[in-house]
């Protein structure tokens, strides 16, 4: 998630050149676009196999008995009636024998039909819990089709941050749609196993009255006009957690670009936000800086989507940012692009390890700011250290945060300071080798604190478990070097 505004230090923006944008077109990459899987036994789905767990922080969301492999979403949005008609075709694996299973789907969206392997089945919809009365067997795969409709609305966020009071499907005062959903909230617009431990592939098609268009994460595979409606289709061709999906609907202008390494870039900006384009086009520079630090971009595309909010999110392959100088600043662009290695490529197994994504991402943001301004990185970290104890007092230690204070400063600053201590202990060469190899070690998977510490110790040859324990679990600021 985008860091709160007070995390970003004053930054001297360094002028850079931008390649002139290419005309709007379906995005292409060096890899050919393969057909989407249509059957549950398609071997390409093996890339999305997960080991879902029940979340210890938010246990009411997600079902560890479901391993979703692929979501095909067809979304029809009526701007006048503010109604969403959806069809979700879900290819899934059952992780255990059970008489029924459950998905998350918000109450305002009413299912009209549920089919399993082509046969209609009974279901119950209680609050956000969609109970499907189908006996399943462990490791067997199933094909679901769920038709649903309603007038979606966001759900309350378990956070005290002003920029994320609610999460999920949001309708602005101008009837534009956008979604930001961490730690949950995807269930406000499609049926989903809404937990980070269950990553899946996605194909999303959005239909809306022209000239507006729907935008989703991943590669734009087609755009066409049909009977006065704009129909756009997108593909996430590497597994994504549900909180990393995105949807926006509005009067958008689309541009494409490409990094020096060949990563295709997509920029989507509402036409009324024309002044945002110079900052949005700096996405290219952010991706290139991150590639120099962490290695080749881990996905087939990247880009930035601008929406009418104060917040922002590292939504996979297309980050979602509010239209403000802060949200579109260089440090935030870098922060969200680093997340693609820490959070997107390797996703926390459960929400206890939110610090794992936010801490290293915040630290590399400070590394970037020190380079851009010429300031001392040690000096920047000293300034942040003055607030460490206050953040622990307000929301708890980073790995034991208050569940009602999600994504507060305690999961950003204290673990960023921890990473600075790790770097001092192991030295620059070992530090960069370790954090560059970590995302590749768990590519497209999930991992937590135990796996990270083992990787760091194995890669650096240093004993680090005590350092991690003190910084992540202690209610008091540990001694600094």
């Amino acid at each position: 998630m985008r860091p709160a505004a007070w995390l970003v230090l004053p930054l001297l923006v360094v002028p850079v050149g931008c390649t002139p944008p290419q005309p709007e077109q379906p995005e292409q990459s060096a890899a050919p676009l393969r057909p989407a899987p249509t059957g549950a036994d398609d071997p390409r789905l093996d890339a999305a196999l997960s080991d879902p767990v029940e979340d210890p922080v938010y246990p009411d969301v997600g079902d560890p008995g479901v391993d979703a492999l692929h979501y095909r979403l067809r979304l029809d949005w009526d701007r006048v009636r503010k109604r969403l008609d959806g069809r979700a075709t879900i290819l899934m694996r059952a992780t255990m024998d059970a008489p029924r299973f459950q998905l998350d789907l918000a109450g305002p969206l009413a299912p009209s039909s549920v089919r399993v392997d082509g046969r209609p089945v009974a279901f119950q919809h209680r609050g956000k819990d969609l109970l499907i009365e189908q006996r399943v067997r462990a490791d067997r795969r199933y094909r679901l089709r769920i038709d649903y409709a309603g007038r979606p609305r966001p759900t309350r966020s378990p956070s005290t941050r002003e920029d994320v009071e609610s999460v999920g499907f949001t309708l602005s005062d101008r009837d534009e749609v956008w979604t930001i959903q961490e730690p949950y909230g995807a269930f406000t617009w499609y049926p989903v196993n809404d937990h980070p431990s269950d990553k899946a592939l996605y194909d999303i098609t959005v239909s809306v009255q022209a000239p507006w268009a729907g935008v989703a994460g991943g590669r734009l595979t087609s755009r066409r006009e049909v009977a006065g409606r704009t129909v756009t289709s997108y593909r996430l061709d590497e597994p994504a957690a549900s909180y990393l999906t995105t949807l926006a609907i509005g009067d958008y202008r689309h541009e494409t670009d490409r990094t020096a390494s060949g990563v295709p870039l997509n920029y989507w900006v509402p036409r009324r936000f024309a002044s945002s384009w110079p900052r949005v086009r700096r996405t290219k520079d952010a991706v290139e800086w991150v590639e120099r630090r962490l290695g080749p971009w881990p996905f087939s595309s990247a880009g930035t989507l601008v929406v009418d909010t104060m917040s922002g999110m590292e939504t996979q392959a297309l980050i979602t940012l509010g239209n403000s100088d802060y949200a579109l600043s260089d440090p935030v662009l870098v922060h969200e692009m680093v997340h693609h290695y820490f959070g997107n490529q390797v996703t926390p197994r459960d929400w206890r390890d939110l610090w794992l994504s936010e801490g290293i991402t915040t630290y590399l943001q400070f590394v970037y700011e020190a380079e851009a301004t010429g300031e001392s990185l040690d000096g920047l970290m000293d300034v942040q250290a003055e607030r460490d104890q206050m953040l622990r007092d307000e929301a708890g230690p980073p790995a034991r945060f208050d569940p009602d204070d999600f994504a507060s400063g305690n999961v950003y600053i204290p673990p960023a300071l921890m990473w600075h201590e790790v770097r001092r202990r192991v030295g620059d060469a070992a530090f960069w080798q370790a954090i560059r190899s970590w995302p590749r070690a768990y590519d497209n998977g999930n991992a937590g604190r135990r796996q990270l510490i083992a990787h760091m110790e194995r890669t650096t040859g240093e004993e680090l478990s005590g350092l991690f324990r003190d910084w992540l679990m202690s209610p008091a600021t540990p001694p600094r070097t």
Side-chain angles (χ1 to χ4, degrees):
M1 183 178 291
R2 184 207 77 169
W6 41 259
L7 285 177
V8 177
L9 300 176
L11 175 65
L12 175 63
V13 176
V14 181
V16 294
C18 291
T19 303
Q22 302 171 9
E24 180 176 346
Q25 57 185 350
E27 176 245 314
Q28 301 293 327
S29 73
L33 190 66
R34 296 178 295 177
T38 57
D41 293 328
D42 191 318
R44 289 173 295 177
L45 296 175
D46 292 350
L49 288 170
S50 304
D51 184 19
V53 299
E54 181 174 289
D55 197 85
V57 184
Y58 305 110
D60 294 335
V61 184
D63 180 358
V66 173
D67 175 16
L69 304 174
H70 181 268
Y71 293 89
R72 181 186 294 275
L73 305 179
R74 191 190 72 192
L75 307 171
D76 296 314
W77 175 246
D78 190 318
R79 291 172 51 197
V80 177
R81 296 192 296 163
K82 300 178 178 56
R83 173 186 167 97
L84 180 68
D85 285 86
R87 170 172 289 180
T89 302
I90 306 170
L91 305 178
M92 60 160 278
R93 176 183 70 94
T95 67
M96 61 185 74
D97 293 343
R100 65 184 61 83
F101 61 93
Q102 178 176 311
L103 294 173
D104 302 300
L105 181 64
L109 298 174
S112 59
S113 170
V114 176
R115 292 177 174 267
V116 178
D117 292 336
R119 298 184 300 273
V121 299
F123 61 90
Q124 302 177 53
H125 193 206
R126 303 169 180 169
K128 67 148 199 64
D129 297 335
L130 176 59
L131 301 172
I132 299 174
E133 302 293 345
Q134 167 71 41
R135 182 173 294 276
V136 293
R137 299 184 61 181
D139 291 324
R140 180 174 170 182
R141 299 185 183 189
Y142 300 87
R143 185 177 189 269
L144 316 181
R145 197 190 81 183
I146 302 170
D147 294 311
Y148 62 99
R151 302 182 68 176
R153 61 175 182 263
T155 190
R156 188 187 71 84
S157 171
S159 175
T160 59
R161 287 177 50 165
E162 293 182 357
D163 61 336
V164 284
E165 293 179 352
S166 61
V167 287
F169 190 102
T170 302
L171 191 63
S172 76
D173 294 340
R174 293 175 176 263
D175 292 338
E176 296 165 331
V177 171
W178 54 269
T179 61
I180 289 177
Q181 52 218 10
E182 188 185 20
Y184 48 71
F187 64 74
T188 62
W189 54 285
Y190 66 98
V192 58
N193 193 30
D194 207 356
H195 192 265
S197 63
D198 187 6
K199 302 173 76 168
L201 305 170
Y202 282 82
D203 280 272
I204 302 175
T205 296
V206 188
S207 172
V208 63
Q209 291 99 326
W212 283 25
V215 184
R219 299 168 63 179
L220 173 65
T221 59
S222 70
R223 175 171 181 163
R224 60 194 188 278
E225 302 293 327
V226 180
R229 299 180 69 84
T230 306
V231 182
T232 47
S233 297
Y234 304 84
R235 176 166 300 167
L236 281 170
D237 51 8
E238 295 193 53
S242 55
Y243 79 96
L244 295 171
T245 60
T246 192
L247 173 70
I249 299 173
D251 186 13
Y252 275 94
R253 175 183 169 189
H254 177 217
E255 290 186 359
T256 62
D257 203 349
R258 191 173 291 268
T259 67
S261 64
V263 178
L265 301 173
N266 286 286
Y267 306 144
W268 294 90
V269 178
R271 296 185 190 279
R272 64 191 181 93
F273 292 157
S275 61
S276 297
W277 278 108
R279 288 186 177 274
V280 169
R281 291 176 184 136
R282 291 174 66 85
T283 299
K284 174 183 176 181
D285 304 283
V287 173
E288 290 176 346
W289 185 91
V290 173
E291 282 192 295
R292 288 194 295 272
R293 284 295 187 176
L294 298 178
W297 186 249
F299 299 100
S300 61
S301 63
T304 296
L305 164 69
V306 177
V307 300
D308 191 7
T309 178
M310 294 189 298
S311 192
M313 188 66 204
E314 63 272 16
T315 42
Q316 191 158 306
L318 185 71
I319 63 174
T320 305
L321 294 179
N323 183 52
S324 70
D325 289 343
Y326 164 63
L328 294 174
S329 66
D330 291 355
V332 172
L333 287 171
V334 167
H335 183 101
E336 305 302 358
M337 295 309 174
V338 172
H339 264 309
H340 278 72
Y341 300 76
F342 298 90
N344 298 19
Q345 187 178 10
V346 184
T347 304
R349 185 169 169 79
D350 61 59
W351 287 117
R352 289 176 300 184
D353 290 323
L354 174 62
W355 64 269
L356 196 156
S357 297
E358 299 296 355
I360 187 64
T361 305
T362 302
Y363 181 60
L364 292 185
Q365 174 185 323
F366 288 135
V367 171
Y368 169 81
E369 293 190 31
E371 289 185 8
T373 62
E375 295 188 52
S376 160
L377 179 61
D378 285 337
L380 295 183
M381 302 312 295
D382 287 343
V383 171
Q384 297 302 321
E386 296 175 1
R387 303 170 52 251
D388 181 277
Q389 187 60 57
M390 176 192 71
L391 296 173
R392 293 173 188 268
D393 292 342
E394 289 178 346
R400 291 191 304 183
F401 65 85
D402 181 348
D404 293 324
D405 212 349
F406 182 83
S408 189
N410 62 329
V411 298
Y412 292 83
I413 297 301
L417 292 165
M418 176 192 74
W419 282 111
H420 198 52
E421 294 297 311
V422 170
R423 184 178 177 182
R424 284 171 161 173
R425 176 173 296 189
V426 305
D428 274 8
F431 172 80
W432 288 109
Q433 179 187 1
I435 68 166
R436 284 172 64 97
S437 58
W438 163 252
R440 295 192 293 272
Y442 290 90
D443 183 33
N444 286 331
N446 297 85
R449 181 175 64 179
R450 180 175 58 84
Q451 291 87 354
L452 176 66
I453 294 174
H455 173 84
M456 295 298 298
E457 291 184 334
R458 181 172 60 251
T459 307
T460 66
E462 296 279 349
E463 198 286 319
L464 298 169
S465 59
L467 186 154
F468 275 87
R469 181 188 63 248
D470 292 346
W471 278 94
L472 297 175
M473 304 298 290
S474 172
T477 302
R480 298 178 65 220
T481 303

